[in-house]
Amino acid sequence: MSPAPETAPPSETAETAPPSETAETAPPSETASAGDTTPAAEIPWRRLDARIIWVDGLYALLSLVPAGLALLVTDEPHASTLVPVLAVAVGGVVGAARDTLRWAKTRYRLTEELVELRTGLLVRRNRALRRERIRTVSTTARLRHRLAGLRVLTVGVGQPGAAGYEALQLDAVTRTAAEELRRELLAGGSAEVASGGGEDGVVVEAPGERVFARIRWSWICYNVFSVWALVTAAGLLWGGYWLAQSFGFDGAGFVAGLLDWRALGPWRTGAIAFVGVGALGALGMAVAFVAENWSFRLVRLDTPTGAVLRTSQGLFRTREVNRDVSRLRGVEISEPLLWRWMGMADTNVISTGLSIWSMTPATTILPRGPVGVARSVAARMLDLDAGASPFAVPPRRHPPAALRRRFGWAVLVTLAVTGLLAWLGGIVDALPSWLWVVGVGLLPVALGAAVVAYRALGHGIVGEYLVVRSGLVSRSTAALSRPAVIGWRLRQSVLQRRLGLATLTATTAAGHGQYAAVDMPAGTVVAFAEQVVPGLLAPLIADVPVERLSVPASTPDVSLLEETCHRVG
């Protein structure tokens, strides 16, 4: 993959603000250009598929079944036991009625330049977005949608850093219509694809396909050992208890009669409860992983106008996300601290126009799995050999001064916690006066965390990619395309200045928007930035002698950094 410079397409340089074309607009016919082959006023409006009405109606009837069974089985129903099932029933009925109104009042159409949507009953909304700004086209389908042959199509223009920013969603269209819309939108509005691709009017699939990854069920073990397993178990136990109560079954009494808990004692009882709850949570997490990632595939598809990176997955609810390959700028691999001993990693692409603030972000391209698989897939996706991958070369280590800085923070945090505990122990009678000792005991943990955070630091240049690594809770290694760097930020705190350190941050229109090399040697910051993107700092260092731009790492040149920062600021 050879990313294009960020300055070429004007649509990519305006990612910091919501595009004006997605706001409430005037009548769509007024926004169409005069050069369109078909006037916008003559293009008919389409409706959602009517099958969503009876699908949701059937779902509402099925949601009433638990309440009906509870009323039949229970001799003396109580409001406290019937409230959960009645809430489910009411939710199903309300959802069906809402979808019926939404179907009656929703229209959409595609012109040569726009995707338009009209919704609303009491308040009418006309929305339109330009097709050249489309970043992702994803389809999802719950089980009831799949049984009826329906899909939910989401068209996103992307907005990194804006939580919940979504363009248009069509819930629901037929599977055939969703496939045609996906091909048409990802083709960028070309006449051949928009009209059907061939003489017979049948849309032709992309000829090229490269499979990067498929699901491996051994990845389940990487996803069940989590604190969320306990949360899952708590939810399952709570829901099971109330469901059993609705049918007159005493779940608490059943558990109490399994063993002689008094004879076991509190420690054994607690251990058995922890193991049981943990096993139930792990089982729930395993089932959720299988349901979410069933038939997972990561492929690259060639299209008439470029290529897309597609992930498809799901058992009861299917999900397919298509990403424009030309907008990919790199890959980020994160390794959580508590599971790093397992070699666990999360893999995300760095791309323009993809939202990163979501429960299921479009940037995620692999389920949580082995770090070796993540690095291999990243190399193939970047069209690089395994040996030339940015993740195959160890990054440059940072100076010992960075470790001393973290030791200082560890001591300060320990002193602050110890002082707080000592103060609480002196004013709260219920707390022991020796509580401050607990704060002192945190010092070895804090020092160990400082060492881990220091060992996570790193930066370097591998081929056409800038590599930065940092993070304590999650060690994140980001490989960012060098042409994607559009600016630099130089930061130096008082402590960093005394230690000869500085933080260099690369700004970009993709991903998180900035990727930092924390606590670099101050004397190498400017030279490293010039090596990443030659000429970007040239106007700021035009008067600096050349020999000062190649200062050895062992002799930090803080004056040069201060001079450059002064010119930037």
Side-chain angles (χ1 to χ4, degrees):
M1 181 181 66
S2 301
E6 294 297 322
T7 57
S11 61
E12 289 185 25
T13 59
E15 292 297 325
T16 56
S20 59
E21 55 268 26
T22 60
E24 305 301 325
T25 64
S29 59
E30 299 179 6
T31 61
S33 64
D36 292 344
T37 58
T38 303
E42 299 181 8
I43 299 178
W45 290 87
R46 311 181 195 180
R47 305 184 69 169
L48 301 178
D49 196 273
R51 278 177 285 185
I52 189 63
I53 300 176
W54 66 260
V55 167
D56 282 346
L58 181 60
Y59 177 75
L61 292 176
L62 292 177
S63 65
L64 295 172
V65 172
L69 291 177
L71 290 174
L72 291 175
V73 174
T74 307
D75 295 333
E76 297 181 0
H78 298 282
S80 59
T81 59
L82 291 180
V83 164
V85 290
L86 290 177
V88 173
V90 172
V93 174
V94 172
R98 181 193 60 209
D99 285 341
T100 302
L101 292 176
R102 181 171 51 81
W103 171 83
K105 292 298 181 180
T106 299
R107 302 290 188 275
Y108 70 95
R109 69 176 179 180
L110 274 67
T111 68
E112 290 293 327
E113 294 185 353
L114 302 174
V115 182
E116 304 175 42
L117 179 67
R118 289 182 175 179
T119 58
L121 176 61
L122 300 178
V123 179
R124 296 290 293 173
R125 299 185 63 192
N126 297 334
R127 303 192 64 190
L129 69 93
R130 296 195 175 275
R131 294 175 62 171
E132 68 267 15
R133 294 192 61 85
I134 293 175
R135 302 297 189 263
T136 60
V137 178
S138 60
T139 58
T140 58
R142 296 183 175 88
L143 180 60
R144 63 179 183 269
H145 290 107
R146 294 174 61 189
L147 294 178
L150 299 176
R151 296 293 185 270
V152 180
L153 183 76
T154 303
V155 183
V157 297
Q159 188 68 17
Y165 187 80
E166 182 181 90
L168 301 177
Q169 186 177 80
L170 303 178
D171 181 9
V173 295
T174 63
R175 179 179 179 180
T176 303
E179 288 293 321
E180 292 177 354
L181 288 170
R182 175 181 59 79
R183 297 189 188 99
E184 196 170 340
L185 294 172
L186 290 178
S190 63
E192 178 184 358
V193 179
S195 62
E199 296 180 358
D200 55 356
V202 178
V203 179
V204 181
E205 282 282 1
E209 176 177 311
R210 295 172 57 189
V211 180
F212 290 147
R214 288 188 175 91
I215 188 63
R216 301 180 187 178
W217 296 120
S218 59
W219 295 352
I220 294 178
C221 62
Y222 293 92
N223 292 268
V224 298
F225 297 102
S226 171
V227 67
W228 291 106
L230 300 179
V231 178
T232 301
L236 291 174
L237 291 174
W238 182 260
Y241 173 78
W242 280 108
L243 182 62
Q245 286 289 100
S246 302
F247 288 93
F249 180 75
D250 186 8
F254 174 76
V255 174
L258 291 177
L259 294 172
D260 188 357
W261 301 107
R262 291 186 178 181
L264 290 175
W267 291 103
R268 293 181 181 178
T269 300
I272 294 174
F274 179 79
V275 172
V277 171
L280 179 62
L283 179 61
M285 294 284 288
V287 172
F289 177 82
V290 172
E292 180 181 357
N293 297 284
W294 184 268
S295 299
F296 172 85
R297 293 174 77 241
L298 171 64
V299 300
R300 171 174 171 155
L301 296 175
D302 295 329
T303 65
T305 57
V308 295
L309 190 67
R310 174 185 297 176
T311 53
S312 57
Q313 62 198 99
L315 179 59
F316 303 112
R317 178 179 181 177
T318 59
R319 182 170 183 259
E320 179 184 285
V321 181
N322 298 275
R323 310 159 184 87
D324 191 350
V325 171
S326 65
R327 303 186 185 278
L328 301 184
R329 301 295 180 259
V331 181
E332 183 177 14
I333 297 178
S334 302
E335 303 169 70
L337 174 62
L338 298 181
W339 295 271
R340 203 172 297 167
W341 60 274
M342 297 177 60
M344 178 189 297
D346 297 318
T347 310
N348 294 271
V349 292
I350 301 174
S351 174
T352 60
L354 294 183
S355 176
I356 59 178
W357 305 111
S358 172
M359 292 298 294
T360 55
T363 56
T364 301
I365 58 171
L366 283 177
R368 176 170 287 185
V371 65
V373 174
R375 292 170 179 169
S376 174
V377 171
R380 296 181 59 193
M381 194 171 56
L382 298 175
D383 290 331
L384 299 173
D385 296 332
S389 170
F391 302 98
V393 180
R396 189 181 307 171
R397 300 297 296 271
H398 287 206
L403 177 61
R404 294 198 299 271
R405 185 186 180 211
R406 279 149 183 78
F407 278 158
W409 279 110
V411 173
L412 288 176
V413 170
T414 302
L415 290 176
V417 173
T418 302
L420 177 62
L421 294 179
W423 177 71
L424 290 176
I427 65 172
V428 180
D429 296 335
L431 297 177
S433 58
W434 49 265
L435 187 62
W436 61 272
V437 179
V438 178
V440 177
L442 293 177
L443 181 60
V445 178
L447 294 178
V451 174
V452 172
Y454 167 72
R455 296 188 62 181
L457 296 177
H459 68 281
I461 301 174
V462 181
E464 290 299 315
Y465 290 90
L466 164 67
V467 180
V468 292
R469 189 179 71 182
S470 63
L472 170 62
V473 178
S474 181
R475 183 175 62 189
S476 176
T477 305
L480 177 65
S481 174
R482 291 163 64 184
V485 178
I486 59 177
W488 295 105
R489 292 179 59 189
L490 304 175
R491 177 182 177 275
Q492 196 176 37
S493 65
V494 175
L495 183 58
Q496 284 179 314
R497 190 173 305 165
R498 293 183 62 85
L499 295 174
L501 302 173
T503 297
L504 177 67
T505 303
T507 60
T508 178
H512 295 280
Q514 53 185 14
Y515 295 88
V518 184
D519 288 346
M520 291 178 56
T524 64
V525 168
V526 177
F528 180 75
E530 275 296 290
Q531 187 179 359
V532 174
V533 185
L536 186 59
L537 293 180
L540 306 175
I541 58 176
D543 301 331
V544 179
V546 177
E547 58 271 11
R548 295 187 64 192
L549 296 180
S550 57
V551 181
S554 58
T555 58
D557 190 354
V558 183
S559 61
L560 176 59
L561 175 64
E562 292 176 345
E563 180 180 350
T564 306
C565 290
H566 177 72
R567 293 168 183 241
V568 174

